[in-house]
Amino acid sequence: MILVQLSSIRLLSTAIQMDLAESSCSSLEITMEKILKTELKTSVLKAFGSSGGGYISQSQGYETDSGRIFVKINHKPQARKMFEGEMASLEAIQKTNIVRVPQPIKVIDLPGGGAMFVMEYLKMKHLNKCSSKLGEQIADLHLYNQKLGEKLRKEGSTVGKGAGHSESQYVDKFGFHTPTCCGYIPQVNEWQSDWPSFFIRHRLQAQLDLIEKDYGDREARELWSQLKLKIPEMFCDVEIVPALLHGDLWAGNVAEDDSGPIIFDPASFYGHSEFELAIAGMFGGFSSSFFSAYHSKIPKAPGFEKRNKLYQLFNYINHWNHFGTGYRGSTLNVMRKLLK
């Protein structure tokens, strides 16, 4: 009898906890929807479709007075910084008028921490017919800054960093005017004039510092101490003009609709165009027509394959930091190959 009573009490306690969680969830949704209505100045705010959730953020589509919107929600303290980096990236890509991205609208703080990122809703489908077109557009995106530089040289104009200006200006350094996040990991984008230095310090070293902090991996540390000395020689005789990059161009961040290709979830910066192709080639999802179309506009430079491995290394370490030691083996293997 006592066991039955205890079992009933446990069931009742669980039910109460579930009710409280549901009640807390629904009150948070009501609060979020009130904030959205106020911030967007809309009388209509009606959720449609099921709420989604990626590894980083939750999401929901809404009908409003001025059309459909897509809202990303993240409750972490650094959410505003992450979303502001994404918004600045979308704005930079959109400004080139080369490849379509969702129109960014607003980053909104949530009470109690976290933020929402509101953007245009696009009805997208898996990249298929537009693979070749996307390859051309990504190449054009990468060539955009170089062409600006050529145009300015012809006009004899002064060049400099072009952050925050209304008209497009040539960017002569590597970096970006604001921090961004690759996944949930913040990236420092301080301007540097030398690409290998920027890549070693702000991409590889920054990621490996996190590995050291969380795992203290001796083998990774020893391989890196040898590898970082060899990286500059991989860039001998290669001219690198800063190119505006999407920054995280895997198959989950590209799509198409009836009007053509779409890219989203960027972590942009001005870097080496080859950096973009590493993750695109690592996890599938891009057909050979994408790469053929890209390289018809930007042919492979001498030493491309070795540098591609170097850029893959960044993505393997980033995955190790996000998803755990399942990516340790791949990281160390790539390091060893690069040292040969």
Side-chain angles (χ1 to χ4, degrees), residues 194-197 199-200 230-240 272 274 302 307 310-311:
D194 178 64
W195 167 249
S197 301
F199 182 64
I200 291 167
K230 291 183 168 287
I231 291 173
E233 70 194 42
M234 296 180 203
F235 294 92
C236 288
D237 306 319
V238 183
E239 188 199 356
I240 302 170
H272 187 194
E274 290 177 1
R307 289 190 300 275
L310 179 69
Y311 295 140

PDB file of all heavy atoms in Angstrom, residues 194-197 199-200 230-240 272 274 302 307 310-311:
ATOM      1  N   ASP A 194      47.968  40.792 -43.440  1.00  0.00           N
ATOM      2  CA  ASP A 194      48.580  39.540 -43.908  1.00  0.00           C
ATOM      3  C   ASP A 194      47.626  38.374 -43.657  1.00  0.00           C
ATOM      4  O   ASP A 194      47.246  38.107 -42.510  1.00  0.00           O
ATOM      5  CB  ASP A 194      49.905  39.332 -43.161  1.00  0.00           C
ATOM      6  CG  ASP A 194      50.574  38.033 -43.546  1.00  0.00           C
ATOM      7  OD1 ASP A 194      50.959  37.882 -44.725  1.00  0.00           O
ATOM      8  OD2 ASP A 194      50.693  37.145 -42.675  1.00  0.00           O
ATOM      9  N   TRP A 195      47.238  37.663 -44.731  1.00  0.00           N
ATOM     10  CA  TRP A 195      46.262  36.576 -44.589  1.00  0.00           C
ATOM     11  C   TRP A 195      46.771  35.411 -43.735  1.00  0.00           C
ATOM     12  O   TRP A 195      46.057  34.978 -42.818  1.00  0.00           O
ATOM     13  CB  TRP A 195      45.792  36.071 -45.956  1.00  0.00           C
ATOM     14  CG  TRP A 195      45.047  34.772 -45.849  1.00  0.00           C
ATOM     15  CD1 TRP A 195      45.448  33.545 -46.278  1.00  0.00           C
ATOM     16  CD2 TRP A 195      43.769  34.560 -45.221  1.00  0.00           C
ATOM     17  NE1 TRP A 195      44.518  32.588 -45.959  1.00  0.00           N
ATOM     18  CE2 TRP A 195      43.476  33.175 -45.320  1.00  0.00           C
ATOM     19  CE3 TRP A 195      42.848  35.390 -44.575  1.00  0.00           C
ATOM     20  CZ2 TRP A 195      42.304  32.616 -44.799  1.00  0.00           C
ATOM     21  CZ3 TRP A 195      41.679  34.835 -44.062  1.00  0.00           C
ATOM     22  CH2 TRP A 195      41.415  33.459 -44.179  1.00  0.00           C
ATOM     23  N   PRO A 196      47.969  34.839 -43.991  1.00  0.00           N
ATOM     24  CA  PRO A 196      48.399  33.715 -43.133  1.00  0.00           C
ATOM     25  C   PRO A 196      48.393  34.075 -41.646  1.00  0.00           C
ATOM     26  O   PRO A 196      47.976  33.275 -40.810  1.00  0.00           O
ATOM     27  CB  PRO A 196      49.810  33.393 -43.638  1.00  0.00           C
ATOM     28  CG  PRO A 196      49.796  33.847 -45.061  1.00  0.00           C
ATOM     29  CD  PRO A 196      48.938  35.078 -45.077  1.00  0.00           C
ATOM     30  N   SER A 197      48.818  35.300 -41.308  1.00  0.00           N
ATOM     31  CA  SER A 197      48.815  35.727 -39.895  1.00  0.00           C
ATOM     32  C   SER A 197      47.394  35.761 -39.343  1.00  0.00           C
ATOM     33  O   SER A 197      47.141  35.304 -38.218  1.00  0.00           O
ATOM     34  CB  SER A 197      49.420  37.130 -39.748  1.00  0.00           C
ATOM     35  OG  SER A 197      50.728  37.134 -40.230  1.00  0.00           O
ATOM     36  N   PHE A 199      44.751  34.098 -40.443  1.00  0.00           N
ATOM     37  CA  PHE A 199      44.184  32.748 -40.385  1.00  0.00           C
ATOM     38  C   PHE A 199      44.773  31.937 -39.223  1.00  0.00           C
ATOM     39  O   PHE A 199      44.046  31.249 -38.506  1.00  0.00           O
ATOM     40  CB  PHE A 199      44.403  32.027 -41.719  1.00  0.00           C
ATOM     41  CG  PHE A 199      43.814  30.651 -41.755  1.00  0.00           C
ATOM     42  CD1 PHE A 199      42.438  30.453 -41.644  1.00  0.00           C
ATOM     43  CD2 PHE A 199      44.624  29.533 -41.870  1.00  0.00           C
ATOM     44  CE1 PHE A 199      41.883  29.176 -41.658  1.00  0.00           C
ATOM     45  CE2 PHE A 199      44.081  28.251 -41.883  1.00  0.00           C
ATOM     46  CZ  PHE A 199      42.707  28.078 -41.778  1.00  0.00           C
ATOM     47  N   ILE A 200      46.094  32.044 -39.029  1.00  0.00           N
ATOM     48  CA  ILE A 200      46.737  31.313 -37.929  1.00  0.00           C
ATOM     49  C   ILE A 200      46.202  31.805 -36.582  1.00  0.00           C
ATOM     50  O   ILE A 200      45.787  31.013 -35.734  1.00  0.00           O
ATOM     51  CB  ILE A 200      48.280  31.455 -37.988  1.00  0.00           C
ATOM     52  CG1 ILE A 200      48.834  30.694 -39.201  1.00  0.00           C
ATOM     53  CG2 ILE A 200      48.917  30.953 -36.698  1.00  0.00           C
ATOM     54  CD1 ILE A 200      50.293  31.023 -39.533  1.00  0.00           C
ATOM     55  N   LYS A 230      55.036  25.940 -40.502  1.00  0.00           N
ATOM     56  CA  LYS A 230      55.061  25.579 -41.925  1.00  0.00           C
ATOM     57  C   LYS A 230      53.964  26.261 -42.750  1.00  0.00           C
ATOM     58  O   LYS A 230      53.993  26.240 -43.971  1.00  0.00           O
ATOM     59  CB  LYS A 230      54.920  24.057 -42.082  1.00  0.00           C
ATOM     60  CG  LYS A 230      56.128  23.290 -41.604  1.00  0.00           C
ATOM     61  CD  LYS A 230      55.974  21.801 -41.833  1.00  0.00           C
ATOM     62  CE  LYS A 230      57.291  21.066 -41.615  1.00  0.00           C
ATOM     63  NZ  LYS A 230      58.267  21.279 -42.691  1.00  0.00           N
ATOM     64  N   ILE A 231      52.969  26.830 -42.071  1.00  0.00           N
ATOM     65  CA  ILE A 231      51.821  27.385 -42.804  1.00  0.00           C
ATOM     66  C   ILE A 231      52.203  28.515 -43.761  1.00  0.00           C
ATOM     67  O   ILE A 231      51.784  28.496 -44.927  1.00  0.00           O
ATOM     68  CB  ILE A 231      50.695  27.816 -41.824  1.00  0.00           C
ATOM     69  CG1 ILE A 231      50.070  26.564 -41.187  1.00  0.00           C
ATOM     70  CG2 ILE A 231      49.625  28.639 -42.540  1.00  0.00           C
ATOM     71  CD1 ILE A 231      49.075  26.848 -40.074  1.00  0.00           C
ATOM     72  N   PRO A 232      53.022  29.499 -43.353  1.00  0.00           N
ATOM     73  CA  PRO A 232      53.320  30.597 -44.283  1.00  0.00           C
ATOM     74  C   PRO A 232      53.862  30.137 -45.638  1.00  0.00           C
ATOM     75  O   PRO A 232      53.552  30.736 -46.668  1.00  0.00           O
ATOM     76  CB  PRO A 232      54.343  31.444 -43.512  1.00  0.00           C
ATOM     77  CG  PRO A 232      54.003  31.187 -42.069  1.00  0.00           C
ATOM     78  CD  PRO A 232      53.615  29.732 -42.026  1.00  0.00           C
ATOM     79  N   GLU A 233      54.656  29.046 -45.643  1.00  0.00           N
ATOM     80  CA  GLU A 233      55.242  28.597 -46.920  1.00  0.00           C
ATOM     81  C   GLU A 233      54.188  28.035 -47.882  1.00  0.00           C
ATOM     82  O   GLU A 233      54.434  27.927 -49.083  1.00  0.00           O
ATOM     83  CB  GLU A 233      56.368  27.579 -46.676  1.00  0.00           C
ATOM     84  CG  GLU A 233      55.914  26.236 -46.161  1.00  0.00           C
ATOM     85  CD  GLU A 233      57.054  25.374 -45.608  1.00  0.00           C
ATOM     86  OE1 GLU A 233      57.931  25.905 -44.899  1.00  0.00           O
ATOM     87  OE2 GLU A 233      57.038  24.158 -45.895  1.00  0.00           O
ATOM     88  N   MET A 234      53.007  27.687 -47.368  1.00  0.00           N
ATOM     89  CA  MET A 234      51.924  27.202 -48.247  1.00  0.00           C
ATOM     90  C   MET A 234      51.330  28.334 -49.084  1.00  0.00           C
ATOM     91  O   MET A 234      50.529  28.096 -49.980  1.00  0.00           O
ATOM     92  CB  MET A 234      50.806  26.554 -47.416  1.00  0.00           C
ATOM     93  CG  MET A 234      51.228  25.308 -46.674  1.00  0.00           C
ATOM     94  SD  MET A 234      49.847  24.616 -45.719  1.00  0.00           S
ATOM     95  CE  MET A 234      50.721  23.690 -44.469  1.00  0.00           C
ATOM     96  N   PHE A 235      51.708  29.570 -48.755  1.00  0.00           N
ATOM     97  CA  PHE A 235      51.141  30.730 -49.446  1.00  0.00           C
ATOM     98  C   PHE A 235      52.175  31.472 -50.293  1.00  0.00           C
ATOM     99  O   PHE A 235      51.910  32.567 -50.779  1.00  0.00           O
ATOM    100  CB  PHE A 235      50.509  31.682 -48.421  1.00  0.00           C
ATOM    101  CG  PHE A 235      49.319  31.066 -47.738  1.00  0.00           C
ATOM    102  CD1 PHE A 235      49.460  30.370 -46.545  1.00  0.00           C
ATOM    103  CD2 PHE A 235      48.055  31.147 -48.306  1.00  0.00           C
ATOM    104  CE1 PHE A 235      48.362  29.786 -45.925  1.00  0.00           C
ATOM    105  CE2 PHE A 235      46.951  30.565 -47.696  1.00  0.00           C
ATOM    106  CZ  PHE A 235      47.105  29.881 -46.497  1.00  0.00           C
ATOM    107  N   CYS A 236      53.355  30.838 -50.475  1.00  0.00           N
ATOM    108  CA  CYS A 236      54.379  31.453 -51.315  1.00  0.00           C
ATOM    109  C   CYS A 236      53.853  31.556 -52.746  1.00  0.00           C
ATOM    110  O   CYS A 236      53.213  30.624 -53.250  1.00  0.00           O
ATOM    111  CB  CYS A 236      55.657  30.607 -51.300  1.00  0.00           C
ATOM    112  SG  CYS A 236      56.498  30.748 -49.725  1.00  0.00           S
ATOM    113  N   ASP A 237      54.116  32.632 -53.406  1.00  0.00           N
ATOM    114  CA  ASP A 237      53.745  32.844 -54.817  1.00  0.00           C
ATOM    115  C   ASP A 237      52.234  32.817 -55.071  1.00  0.00           C
ATOM    116  O   ASP A 237      51.795  32.535 -56.183  1.00  0.00           O
ATOM    117  CB  ASP A 237      54.428  31.798 -55.732  1.00  0.00           C
ATOM    118  CG  ASP A 237      55.938  31.779 -55.524  1.00  0.00           C
ATOM    119  OD1 ASP A 237      56.523  32.866 -55.386  1.00  0.00           O
ATOM    120  OD2 ASP A 237      56.515  30.680 -55.471  1.00  0.00           O
ATOM    121  N   VAL A 238      51.433  33.047 -54.031  1.00  0.00           N
ATOM    122  CA  VAL A 238      49.973  33.136 -54.229  1.00  0.00           C
ATOM    123  C   VAL A 238      49.535  34.547 -53.859  1.00  0.00           C
ATOM    124  O   VAL A 238      49.781  34.994 -52.733  1.00  0.00           O
ATOM    125  CB  VAL A 238      49.202  32.117 -53.346  1.00  0.00           C
ATOM    126  CG1 VAL A 238      47.705  32.183 -53.624  1.00  0.00           C
ATOM    127  CG2 VAL A 238      49.704  30.708 -53.572  1.00  0.00           C
ATOM    128  N   GLU A 239      48.916  35.230 -54.828  1.00  0.00           N
ATOM    129  CA  GLU A 239      48.401  36.569 -54.525  1.00  0.00           C
ATOM    130  C   GLU A 239      47.000  36.410 -53.937  1.00  0.00           C
ATOM    131  O   GLU A 239      46.138  35.765 -54.530  1.00  0.00           O
ATOM    132  CB  GLU A 239      48.338  37.423 -55.798  1.00  0.00           C
ATOM    133  CG  GLU A 239      47.994  38.871 -55.485  1.00  0.00           C
ATOM    134  CD  GLU A 239      47.472  39.655 -56.685  1.00  0.00           C
ATOM    135  OE1 GLU A 239      47.439  39.116 -57.805  1.00  0.00           O
ATOM    136  OE2 GLU A 239      47.080  40.816 -56.471  1.00  0.00           O
ATOM    137  N   ILE A 240      46.786  36.968 -52.742  1.00  0.00           N
ATOM    138  CA  ILE A 240      45.478  36.834 -52.089  1.00  0.00           C
ATOM    139  C   ILE A 240      44.867  38.215 -51.906  1.00  0.00           C
ATOM    140  O   ILE A 240      45.371  39.032 -51.142  1.00  0.00           O
ATOM    141  CB  ILE A 240      45.587  36.103 -50.734  1.00  0.00           C
ATOM    142  CG1 ILE A 240      46.210  34.719 -50.931  1.00  0.00           C
ATOM    143  CG2 ILE A 240      44.212  35.977 -50.073  1.00  0.00           C
ATOM    144  CD1 ILE A 240      46.593  34.010 -49.657  1.00  0.00           C
ATOM    145  N   HIS A 272      40.612  34.603 -47.658  1.00  0.00           N
ATOM    146  CA  HIS A 272      41.055  33.933 -48.880  1.00  0.00           C
ATOM    147  C   HIS A 272      39.872  33.158 -49.464  1.00  0.00           C
ATOM    148  O   HIS A 272      39.252  32.363 -48.758  1.00  0.00           O
ATOM    149  CB  HIS A 272      42.213  32.985 -48.541  1.00  0.00           C
ATOM    150  CG  HIS A 272      42.861  32.379 -49.742  1.00  0.00           C
ATOM    151  ND1 HIS A 272      43.713  31.307 -49.646  1.00  0.00           N
ATOM    152  CD2 HIS A 272      42.786  32.684 -51.074  1.00  0.00           C
ATOM    153  CE1 HIS A 272      44.142  30.978 -50.863  1.00  0.00           C
ATOM    154  NE2 HIS A 272      43.592  31.810 -51.738  1.00  0.00           N
ATOM    155  N   GLU A 274      39.634  30.591 -51.200  1.00  0.00           N
ATOM    156  CA  GLU A 274      39.734  29.130 -51.088  1.00  0.00           C
ATOM    157  C   GLU A 274      39.183  28.605 -49.762  1.00  0.00           C
ATOM    158  O   GLU A 274      38.748  27.450 -49.688  1.00  0.00           O
ATOM    159  CB  GLU A 274      41.202  28.689 -51.231  1.00  0.00           C
ATOM    160  CG  GLU A 274      41.767  28.866 -52.626  1.00  0.00           C
ATOM    161  CD  GLU A 274      43.241  28.477 -52.715  1.00  0.00           C
ATOM    162  OE1 GLU A 274      43.835  28.042 -51.699  1.00  0.00           O
ATOM    163  OE2 GLU A 274      43.805  28.617 -53.812  1.00  0.00           O
ATOM    164  N   PRO A 302      48.192  27.223 -57.979  1.00  0.00           N
ATOM    165  CA  PRO A 302      49.164  26.198 -57.558  1.00  0.00           C
ATOM    166  C   PRO A 302      49.148  26.021 -56.037  1.00  0.00           C
ATOM    167  O   PRO A 302      49.080  27.004 -55.298  1.00  0.00           O
ATOM    168  CB  PRO A 302      50.506  26.780 -58.030  1.00  0.00           C
ATOM    169  CG  PRO A 302      50.154  27.729 -59.138  1.00  0.00           C
ATOM    170  CD  PRO A 302      48.804  28.283 -58.798  1.00  0.00           C
ATOM    171  N   ARG A 307      46.403  23.592 -49.486  1.00  0.00           N
ATOM    172  CA  ARG A 307      45.721  24.648 -48.722  1.00  0.00           C
ATOM    173  C   ARG A 307      44.281  24.256 -48.404  1.00  0.00           C
ATOM    174  O   ARG A 307      43.760  24.603 -47.335  1.00  0.00           O
ATOM    175  CB  ARG A 307      45.753  25.974 -49.505  1.00  0.00           C
ATOM    176  CG  ARG A 307      47.133  26.605 -49.561  1.00  0.00           C
ATOM    177  CD  ARG A 307      47.089  28.006 -50.124  1.00  0.00           C
ATOM    178  NE  ARG A 307      46.549  28.045 -51.473  1.00  0.00           N
ATOM    179  CZ  ARG A 307      47.243  27.852 -52.587  1.00  0.00           C
ATOM    180  NH1 ARG A 307      48.548  27.587 -52.516  1.00  0.00           N
ATOM    181  NH2 ARG A 307      46.663  27.920 -53.762  1.00  0.00           N
ATOM    182  N   LEU A 310      44.380  22.411 -45.328  1.00  0.00           N
ATOM    183  CA  LEU A 310      44.604  23.343 -44.216  1.00  0.00           C
ATOM    184  C   LEU A 310      43.278  23.981 -43.793  1.00  0.00           C
ATOM    185  O   LEU A 310      42.993  24.113 -42.602  1.00  0.00           O
ATOM    186  CB  LEU A 310      45.608  24.423 -44.641  1.00  0.00           C
ATOM    187  CG  LEU A 310      45.928  25.489 -43.587  1.00  0.00           C
ATOM    188  CD1 LEU A 310      46.729  24.895 -42.422  1.00  0.00           C
ATOM    189  CD2 LEU A 310      46.692  26.656 -44.216  1.00  0.00           C
ATOM    190  N   TYR A 311      42.465  24.370 -44.772  1.00  0.00           N
ATOM    191  CA  TYR A 311      41.170  24.989 -44.463  1.00  0.00           C
ATOM    192  C   TYR A 311      40.171  23.958 -43.918  1.00  0.00           C
ATOM    193  O   TYR A 311      39.333  24.285 -43.084  1.00  0.00           O
ATOM    194  CB  TYR A 311      40.615  25.710 -45.693  1.00  0.00           C
ATOM    195  CG  TYR A 311      41.473  26.887 -46.127  1.00  0.00           C
ATOM    196  CD1 TYR A 311      41.721  27.160 -47.468  1.00  0.00           C
ATOM    197  CD2 TYR A 311      42.052  27.727 -45.175  1.00  0.00           C
ATOM    198  CE1 TYR A 311      42.501  28.235 -47.854  1.00  0.00           C
ATOM    199  CE2 TYR A 311      42.846  28.802 -45.547  1.00  0.00           C
ATOM    200  CZ  TYR A 311      43.074  29.058 -46.890  1.00  0.00           C
ATOM    201  OH  TYR A 311      43.852  30.122 -47.259  1.00  0.00           O
TER     202      TYR A 311
END
